[in-house]
Amino acid sequence: MQLTDIRPRLLLGPGPSPVSPSILEALARPTLGHLDPQFLELMDDVADGLRLAFGTDNTMTFPVSGTGSAAMEASLVNVIEPGDTVIVASNGVFGGRLAEMSRRMGAEVVLVEAEWGRILDPDAVIDALRAHPGARALAIVLAETSTGVQQPLAEIGAAVAATDTLLVVDAVTAIGGTPVAVDGNHIDVCYAGTQKCLGVPPGLAPITFSEKAMDRIRSRTVPCASWYLDVSLLAGYLGSERKYHHTAPINMVYALHQGLSELRAEGLEARFERHARAGDRLKAGLVDRGFTLFAQEGHRLPQLTSALLPEGVDEGPLRRRLLDEYGIEVGGGLGAAKGKLWRIGLMGHGACDENVDRLLAAVDDLFGSAVA
Ligand SMILES: *Cc1c(COP(=O)(O)O)cnc(C)c1O
């Protein structure tokens, strides 16, 4: 296959999201060296843009060279030492991934679980924190892309802030679509991804560390188990020293720079409203067509709608026809929800009425022909 044969798709799945032409153009700018003063200036702008997107003043804020999962690993591996207790609050795939990674790093994982599609009860999470006062970290997902649930963090954040435990939050699907409020929620380590509501291709993963987290990292008794993701080494490149650690993915940084400039130009509040509007329109349209919304009412993500298909519909072939005949990608269910639900993303550049209407029109066509 030739690259020129690629047919564009409308990406309305759980990520990646549609990338605007201006961001694609940014990728094609001339590649610079990672120590070029021009590039270092761009990196500083990117850090500023990420602080805005995260809602933080943290100095240690940068894009990890890798996707969201690399930043998830970076968040955990920098704060965990073998034998540490880590509380993981899980109600979906990504909570499960946090637990799996923590175990591989030698942590004793205390799991607090909730049924998929429901939020974690803040009181249950806070009870676990009280029961394990020596826990190194408490990890939780803000926007669970596997179920479409938005987790309330305020009470949990306030409770963790009063302890020595660090709050680690997955904001991969939240950033740029719904508020993260790293400082407001007392989050110590927060990570994200570029390919969801920031509307940038996959390949970089924003991350930020509070002073409380950095103090903990400076007082480690054994070095971080990952050399590549070690923030104390990365600080040598990001700080005034500008020392080589690894080669930054230069052109991806251009794309993120452009994505963050567009976010700044639109304004965070306007962007959140755009996602909220599109999400509401989609949810209403799906319910009208016999779908059942899966996530707990009052805690539904605007940017990721999970909906059970009408009774008796075989979703796999329909989803394939949506892709082949209409050029629209949506996601299927994961785990227990496999074969039963669709996960529809309206993220970043993709969050608009026009895309909702295009999808709903295609669903009408498909369901009409499936029934006929
Ligand atoms: C997409 C996603 C990830 C993983 O990111 P990758 O870029 O696929 O590595 C982690 N957490 C959540 C909540 C996500 O939606």
Side-chain angles (χ1 to χ4, degrees), residues 10-11 22 31 39 73 75 85 88 123 144 151 159 162 257 268 288 336:
L10 177 58
L11 297 175
S22 50
T31 303
F39 182 70
E73 204 143 83
S75 299
T85 296
V88 178
D123 290 334
E144 191 34 275
Q151 176 64 40
H257 189 280
L268 268 185
D288 280 350

Side-chain angles (χ1 to χ4, degrees), residues 14-15 66-72 94-95 97 141-146 170-174 191-196 202-205 343 347:
T67 66
S69 304
M72 183 189 285
F94 295 103
R97 192 175 292 181
V141 178
L142 171 56
E144 191 34 275
T145 322
S146 61
D170 179 322
V172 177
T173 285
Y191 61 90
T194 48
Q195 79 274 27
K196 307 214 176 166
L204 286 175
R343 290 179 303 139
M347 300 180 180

